[in-house]
Amino acid sequence: KGYNPSDVGVANGNYFGMPFSPEEAELVLVSVPWDVTASYGGGQSAAPDAIIAASVQLDFYDSVSPDQWRRGIATAGIDYSIQDRSTMLRGEAKKIMAVLERGGTLLDERMMPYRLERINTASAEIMNEVYNETLKWLDMGKLVGLVGGDHSTPLGFIKALARKGPFGILHIDAHADLRKAYEGFTYSHASIMYNVLQEVPEVEKIVQVGVRDYCDEEVELSENNDRIERFDDFLTASRLFEGASWAEVCREIIERLPNNVYISFDIDGLSADNCPNTGTPVTGGLTFNQALYLMNTVSESGRRIVGFDLSEVNPNLKSEWDANVGARMLYKLCGLILKSN
C-alpha cells in the first residue's frame, strides 16, 4: 500500500527493492553465497549481494509476464555464514586444484586428503541446509527460486522439490555438468547434473541447451542414459544457419520435457558478452532473448515451472555488467514462474 513501482528503486536489501515479506509473497528467493569448488574463476559467492544491488535499477514492466510481480516476490534472509565458510574453504580448494593442474594426485601431499574431506563434508552440509530452507517455503505453499553461488548450490533445492512430485529440468549451460566428483569434490559445480541423476530419481528428464564445453566421459554418459537430452550449441546454431527457426528448435526442446519443469540457469549458457566475468566463460552460447524466448515457450506450452535457479554470476569490481544481466535474467525467471502458476 502506497508502493509506487514507477518511482526510484529503494535499496532495502531485497531483490528489486520490492516491499514484500516472504510470508505475504507468492514467490520467495533464497540466496546461497557459496563457490568453493569453482574450478576456474571464483567470486560467485558475492553474486546475491551484487544482484540485489543491481536489481534496484530495473523497471518492472515486462511484456512477457506483465504485472506478475504484484503477486509478490520476496527475499528470504541471507545466511552469510555460508559465505564465510565458502571464503575459508576456497583457499583449501585452490590448493587441491593447483596440485592437480601440475599433474599431481590427491596423494602427493599429506594434507590433500584432509582438505578434500573438509570440503566434501562442508558441501554436504550446505546441501542439507539449502534442502531444509527451501522445503520450509515449499511446505508453506510458496514458489521458490534460488540464487547462487556456483552451480553446485541448487542440489538441495532440487531434492526438496522432488518431495512434491516428479519433474524435468531445462538445463541452460555452457557445460554438461555430468562429471563424477570433478577434482575429487563430490558436490562440485561441474557435477550438479551427475548428482541429480544419482540422487534424485524424481527428475524424469534433463534437457540441456547451450552446452558447448564437455568431455568424452560426459558424452558417453548422456548417450547411454535416456534421462538426458543434449542440444549441443554448435549443432543447434548450425540448424539456424541452414534455415531452421529458433521457434522450431524451441518447440523440439520443450517436447522433451514433462509437464512440470524446473529451470536450472547457469549464466554462462549465455554468450560471453552477457557474462564476461563468469567463472568458466565459453565462446558461443545463447543471446539473452533466445534464452528468454525458450523459457517463455515452456510457459506458453502449458507446462508448469515448479522452480528455478540462477547460478555462476560473477560480479566484477570494475563493472556492474554481470550483476546487471544477472538481475534482469532473475526478474524474467520470476515473472515466468509466476505466470506459469
Side-chain angles (χ1 to χ4, degrees):
K1 197 172 184 180
Y3 176 67
N4 182 1
S6 298
D7 210 340
V8 176
V10 178
N12 59 5
N14 293 336
Y15 288 101
F16 318 112
M18 292 207 169
F20 304 101
S21 70
E23 289 71 24
E24 64 191 359
E26 288 192 35
L27 170 62
V28 176
L29 298 178
V30 174
S31 307
V32 189
W34 176 266
D35 67 348
V36 171
T37 66
S39 54
Y40 185 54
Q44 297 91 323
S45 64
D49 279 347
I51 292 173
I52 287 172
S55 72
V56 177
Q57 302 302 317
L58 271 67
D59 288 317
F60 291 156
Y61 182 77
D62 182 359
S63 58
V64 172
S65 50
D67 283 340
Q68 294 297 332
W69 68 268
R70 294 181 182 275
R71 294 162 58 188
I73 302 171
T75 303
I78 301 177
D79 180 358
Y80 286 103
S81 77
I82 294 175
Q83 191 169 26
D84 292 340
R85 284 175 277 170
S86 180
T87 300
M88 178 181 67
L89 290 171
R90 176 70 180 150
E92 299 288 282
K94 289 174 76 172
K95 291 175 183 176
I96 293 173
M97 294 172 195
V99 169
L100 297 176
E101 288 167 6
R102 290 196 301 266
T105 73
L106 294 173
L107 300 177
D108 284 358
E109 297 183 23
R110 183 172 59 85
M111 293 298 293
M112 288 297 109
Y114 170 71
R115 290 187 175 114
L116 184 62
E117 182 181 0
R118 284 187 68 200
I119 291 167
N120 284 338
T121 298
S123 297
E125 290 171 353
I126 294 297
M127 180 185 65
N128 288 329
E129 290 171 23
V130 171
Y131 171 86
N132 290 328
E133 173 73 3
T134 53
L135 185 61
K136 175 183 75 174
W137 297 115
L138 291 170
D139 284 345
M140 291 174 62
K142 306 295 182 181
L143 298 169
V144 177
L146 183 143
V147 183
D150 70 31
H151 208 170
S152 71
T153 55
L155 183 58
F157 177 29
I158 293 170
K159 287 186 169 187
L161 269 174
R163 292 279 301 271
K164 306 299 177 181
F167 56 93
I169 295 178
L170 174 60
H171 175 208
I172 299 173
D173 201 327
H175 308 90
D177 290 350
L178 291 169
R179 293 175 178 268
K180 180 180 180 180
Y182 185 57
E183 298 178 316
F185 305 124
T186 306
Y187 295 110
S188 167
H189 73 124
S191 304
I192 174 71
M193 293 304 158
Y194 177 88
N195 289 329
V196 167
L197 290 174
Q198 301 303 311
E199 301 182 23
V200 195
E202 293 85 355
V203 171
E204 300 172 320
K205 187 75 74 172
I206 300 173
V207 181
Q208 302 185 312
V209 181
V211 289
R212 54 199 187 273
D213 195 27
Y214 45 93
C215 69
D216 290 348
E217 180 183 329
E218 292 173 298
V219 172
E220 183 179 357
L221 175 59
S222 62
E223 290 182 349
N224 290 285
N225 191 314
D226 59 10
R227 292 167 67 196
I228 306 171
E229 297 272 357
R230 185 179 73 252
F231 284 80
D232 176 273
D233 187 58
F234 176 72
L235 296 180
T236 300
S238 297
R239 292 185 56 195
L240 301 181
F241 299 152
E242 293 165 3
S245 71
W246 183 236
E248 290 174 51
V249 173
C250 288
R251 285 194 293 270
E252 289 184 26
I253 293 168
I254 303 309
E255 284 172 2
R256 269 68 169 185
L257 290 163
N259 288 331
N260 290 331
V261 178
Y262 175 91
I263 299 176
S264 190
F265 199 119
D266 185 322
I267 201 73
D268 68 27
L270 298 178
S271 56
D273 56 307
N274 287 288
C275 51
N277 296 293
T278 188
T280 315
V282 185
T283 52
L286 306 181
T287 69
F288 189 98
N289 281 336
Q290 280 179 319
L292 178 57
Y293 184 90
L294 171 60
M295 296 186 298
N296 189 49
T297 303
V298 174
S299 176
E300 294 291 334
S301 74
R303 288 167 174 79
R304 177 173 174 248
I305 300 172
V306 296
F308 68 82
D309 65 71
L310 176 69
S311 67
E312 300 288 352
V313 174
N314 192 357
N316 185 283
L317 295 176
K318 297 180 180 178
S319 170
E320 287 191 356
W321 182 243
D322 292 74
N324 184 301
V325 173
R328 294 176 186 279
M329 186 56 73
L330 178 62
Y331 188 63
K332 298 297 185 182
L333 285 161
C334 290
L336 287 169
I337 191 172
L338 288 164
K339 174 183 175 181
S340 79
N341 285 269

